[in-house]
Amino acid sequence: MRLHLKVWRQSSADAKGKIVNYDVDDASPDMSFLELLDVLNEKLALQGDDPVAFDHDCREGICGACSMVIDGQPHGPEKATTTCQLHLRHFRDGDTITIEPFRAGAFPVIKDLVVDRNAFDRIIQAGGYISAPTGSAPDAHATPVPKANADRAFAAAACIGCGACVAACPNGSASLFLGAKITHLGELPQGQPERHSRVRAMVEEHDASGFGGCTNTGECAVACPKEIPLDVISQLNRDYLDARKAGRKGA
Amino acid sequence: MARGARAAGTAPARRRQHLPSVQLKFVMAVTGAVMLLYLVLHMIGNLKIFFGAEAIDSYSAWLRTLLEPALPHGGMLWIVRVVLLVSVIAHIVSAVVLARRARKARPVRYAHRQPVQGSYAARTMRWGGVIIALFAVYHILDLTTGTVNPNGVHGAVYDNITASFDRWYVTLFYALAVITVGFHVRHGLWSGLQTFGRSNAATQNALKGFALVFAVVLTAGFLSVPFAVVTGLV
């Protein structure tokens, strides 16, 4: 199949970028979207041009490395699919596809489609963990967890930290990511002792990194390749409110 | 050298925000709730017009006697006005701060991005809010102070309303503003409930439905007055 690609090219963080047109004539419907870029890059390398830089790692849809906005949607048009798991059979022969990096002030472009997502690591460092030596995996039933809590924690823990929620949000907010971590740890007994300090520290780091505020448009949950539900943001808000109240009481 | 240049480009300035966005959302939600409560009472009060000129005029006079003699004449009305004014200012200031943060959070825009998947109401919150604020100014000059009202007699509520809505362009502007309020309430009420942490997977759609019904009933209530005047029902 033949595809026309409009790709964001930016040689470095400080360089001015622009959209460049490429044609790929020998794409196969069975290729993944990243393989399409591999084919393009092979061609560019043979021509002596600079290949398109893009992030990728596991190519199994579980690591959160791949990013890019395809035709205006983070990870492309397929629901619950990362870019690496998006196949060209979802496009038509002759389609024009626009490919841009995730756009956020907190995710500056490093090169082409590669953005710096260290801000997410800083948010995790601020409180997205349990500060107890866990050792090896504990016995499955050593600490009972009600089924409903376990399910909700698991759904939230599916977050791979790719940043699609930020890329999709009209406010450039990372609230879905934040909410996923707060819910994931907050639903489990091990997450309770640090529940209040966690939400305060993570919210502070989120804002300091320059992410915007949530206006509940729901755009993030639609874009999320792991289908993190929007109600984790409600949980984030409630936990933050509880933490403020507890803080005032000096607890 | 190259490393330094890259670091300068990749690491955005980190700045501690004294008021976290989550907290500003609580301000939006609380002040929004205050204004929404007022809107409900205002809408119900408006319906007095269907009981005739006497009913709405005396209702307006009664509002000024609330909690008398503990409060002076019109005292309760002034308390409501001050609370509303504080809410409006806090609501607008928070909205401006949040909108500026949102703009800064995406300095480079997408070349190609479909319209937001969220509702039309969610997309028009900011400009809709501006329209509502401008309308509120006109509305107060028209029917509270009477400055721009063709009748403009203090206390003659019925005559002032009918005089105002006898001009088609005022009626049209009023209708558009009230519909804008409806959209604003549709997203604002849902968003407020979400902000207070009252939403979960099971209740999310129910809350959205509740916000929609609430907004439609509120809008219909407000629209019924100009509709009645134009069609000669009252």
Side-chain angles (χ1 to χ4, degrees):
Chain A
M1 59 197 286
R2 292 165 63 93
L3 291 169
H4 310 290
L5 306 181
K6 295 161 85 82
V7 185
W8 181 262
R9 300 303 309 263
Q10 184 174 337
S11 60
S12 71
D14 303 311
K16 208 171 138 55
K18 65 171 193 297
I19 296 273
V20 177
N21 291 294
Y22 297 104
D23 285 326
V24 176
D25 298 332
D26 48 353
S28 145
D30 297 328
M31 283 178 181
S32 77
F33 204 85
L34 295 185
E35 283 163 343
L36 170 70
L37 293 181
D38 291 337
V39 169
L40 171 66
N41 279 345
E42 210 163 41
K43 199 174 89 175
L44 291 177
L46 285 173
Q47 289 169 1
D49 290 336
D50 198 17
V52 178
F54 62 92
D55 265 327
H56 63 106
D57 189 13
C58 76
R59 300 206 178 198
E60 296 182 332
I62 53 169
C63 76
C66 61
S67 55
M68 74 184 81
V69 171
I70 300 161
D71 275 346
Q73 285 175 281
H75 295 294
E78 282 297 296
K79 199 170 173 307
T81 307
T82 54
T83 299
C84 63
Q85 294 293 300
L86 174 67
H87 287 84
L88 297 189
R89 66 181 78 99
H90 298 297
F91 296 89
R92 275 191 309 248
D93 190 41
D95 271 359
T96 300
I97 306 170
T98 309
I99 310 169
E100 293 176 84
F102 282 180
R103 294 283 189 208
F107 287 169
V109 172
I110 296 172
K111 188 180 179 184
D112 298 334
L113 304 173
V114 178
V115 297
D116 178 351
R117 285 173 279 181
N118 272 314
F120 268 17
D121 293 334
R122 288 199 302 270
I123 292 175
I124 294 296
Q125 280 165 7
Y129 54 82
I130 285 156
S131 52
T134 50
S136 57
D139 277 349
H141 297 297
T143 312
V145 181
K147 171 86 166 106
N149 299 70
D151 284 350
R152 191 148 184 261
F154 191 83
C159 170
I160 52 176
C162 65
C165 46
V166 177
C169 178
N171 307 304
S173 174
S175 289
L176 195 72
F177 169 75
L178 207 51
K181 304 305 166 192
I182 294 294
T183 305
H184 156 204
L185 298 169
E187 286 287 354
L188 297 174
Q190 295 88 342
Q192 300 315 314
E194 291 160 302
R195 193 162 176 175
H196 289 163
S197 58
R198 173 182 307 120
V199 68
R200 294 182 71 145
M202 289 179 84
V203 162
E204 186 178 312
E205 184 56 47
H206 170 276
D207 285 18
S209 285
F211 293 107
C214 172
T215 52
N216 300 314
T217 64
E219 193 74 1
C220 51
V222 176
C224 178
K226 294 296 154 187
E227 300 189 294
I228 303 296
L230 193 64
D231 66 82
V232 299
I233 298 179
S234 202
Q235 185 73 57
L236 159 71
N237 293 329
R238 190 193 293 208
D239 275 25
Y240 188 80
L241 200 60
D242 288 347
R244 297 286 303 191
K245 276 190 211 149
R248 271 198 296 276
K249 282 182 204 142
Chain B
M1 188 61 186
R3 232 188 120 129
R6 196 174 108 168
T10 54
R14 285 175 67 254
R15 207 160 60 94
R16 193 175 176 273
Q17 303 286 1
H18 290 288
L19 273 173
S21 298
V22 177
Q23 213 163 325
L24 286 169
K25 294 304 294 181
F26 286 122
V27 175
M28 297 295 291
V30 171
T31 55
V34 170
M35 291 187 281
L36 191 57
L37 177 66
Y38 172 78
L39 275 187
V40 171
L41 298 176
H42 185 6
M43 189 273 277
I44 293 169
N46 283 1
L47 299 180
K48 292 272 178 207
I49 200 165
F50 290 100
F51 300 99
E54 169 58 24
I56 193 157
D57 288 3
S58 60
Y59 169 71
S60 144
W62 170 78
L63 285 177
R64 284 160 176 79
T65 65
L66 275 175
L67 293 185
E68 258 184 305
L71 289 173
H73 186 72
M76 190 60 210
L77 219 51
W78 275 105
I79 290 171
V80 170
R81 283 169 183 164
V82 169
V83 169
L84 273 180
L85 189 67
V86 169
S87 298
V88 168
I89 291 170
H91 202 74
I92 292 175
V93 168
S94 304
V96 169
V97 172
L98 287 167
R100 286 171 57 120
R101 281 186 193 173
R103 184 161 294 219
K104 264 175 86 174
R106 177 154 302 132
V108 183
R109 297 187 164 227
Y110 288 109
H112 180 98
R113 175 104 175 95
Q114 277 109 322
V116 179
Q117 309 237 13
S119 62
Y120 179 78
R123 263 180 284 156
T124 53
M125 286 306 270
R126 288 181 185 134
W127 283 110
V130 172
I131 292 170
I132 294 166
L134 292 175
F135 167 73
V137 171
Y138 171 79
H139 189 58
I140 288 167
L141 290 174
D142 183 21
L143 292 168
T144 307
T145 66
T147 318
V148 297
N149 190 282
N151 190 44
V153 177
H154 192 75
V157 183
Y158 180 86
D159 293 341
N160 291 346
I161 290 172
T162 48
S164 201
F165 286 139
D166 276 342
R167 296 164 299 170
W168 66 268
Y169 49 91
V170 170
T171 311
L172 185 69
F173 178 45
Y174 180 92
L176 287 175
V178 165
I179 290 167
T180 309
V181 170
F183 277 111
H184 206 78
V185 167
R186 152 70 184 82
H187 184 71
L189 179 54
W190 140 250
S191 191
L193 291 166
Q194 168 93 343
T195 297
F196 282 121
R198 291 296 141 205
S199 152
N200 59 47
T203 60
Q204 188 167 306
N205 285 332
L207 289 180
K208 277 188 177 175
F210 170 71
L212 178 64
V213 170
F214 196 101
V216 167
V217 170
L218 188 73
T219 309
F222 276 118
L223 285 179
S224 68
V225 174
F227 178 79
V229 171
V230 168
T231 56
L233 266 173
V234 295

